[in-house]
Amino acid sequence: VDGLVLAVSPFNHSMNYRSVCVFGYPELVVDLEEKEEALRVITNHAFKADRWGSTRETSKVEFQSTRVIRLDIETASVKKREGQAQDDEADKGQDVYAGVLPIMTKYGKAAQAEYSKAVLPEYMASMEGTEVHQ
């Protein structure tokens, strides 16, 4: 949800949003190199940095207990609603607030684990206060 849309009439209230549905046939990734590459890409994408390379090596148990699924997308659909309320013409100009209250998700201040002795990586420090959807 990207925002609450307030109208003169509660009947015309809405929400701004983005939604995606994908359809296809999932397939379990069994090739070990392909699986490791997929996990590396997913991990690094979340931080926009080489997080995978700065962590300890994955244990055999961790690697074996994690599944990666490949999805060849056959079709997809997107729904998006943005903009202001669709008030009736007769309601416009009344002394009732109408507009959009944006909802933003931002990264907060990192909370270091008590046992961690490492310095906060710069790529994480630079994320603090930025919007998640950048």
Side-chain angles (χ1 to χ4, degrees):
V1 175
D2 295 321
L4 302 177
V5 180
L6 294 85
V8 173
S9 166
F11 180 77
N12 290 326
H13 281 46
S14 188
M15 292 183 189
N16 288 342
Y17 62 89
R18 291 168 285 166
S19 174
V20 176
C21 291
V22 295
F23 302 92
Y25 296 96
E27 181 181 348
L28 187 64
V29 174
V30 293
D31 180 81
L32 299 181
E33 288 180 13
E34 183 181 1
K35 179 179 174 179
E36 183 173 13
E37 176 64 9
L39 293 170
R40 185 190 65 74
V41 167
I42 291 167
T43 301
N44 290 347
H45 177 75
F47 295 95
K48 313 269 188 294
D50 184 21
R51 178 66 184 162
W52 185 269
S54 65
T55 59
R56 69 157 171 78
E57 191 172 321
T58 307
S59 75
K60 187 175 182 178
V61 171
E62 290 169 332
F63 194 72
Q64 288 176 339
S65 66
T66 303
R67 302 289 182 256
V68 173
I69 298 171
R70 177 189 315 104
L71 179 66
D72 292 324
I73 298 172
E74 299 221 345
T75 60
S77 64
V78 175
K79 273 182 92 170
K80 181 177 183 179
R81 197 257 184 231
E82 61 185 358
Q84 294 291 336
Q86 304 300 312
D87 272 314
D88 297 333
E89 283 300 319
D91 287 339
K92 293 180 180 177
Q94 292 195 33
D95 192 22
V96 176
Y97 180 83
V100 176
L101 179 61
I103 298 173
M104 295 183 258
T105 304
K106 295 186 176 195
Y107 292 104
K109 183 169 176 50
Q112 188 161 1
E114 290 180 17
Y115 57 82
S116 178
K117 305 293 185 222
V119 174
L120 179 68
E122 177 54 37
Y123 63 84
M124 285 184 63
S126 68
M127 293 169 68
E128 290 180 6
T130 64
E131 287 189 41
V132 173
H133 297 294
Q134 284 186 345

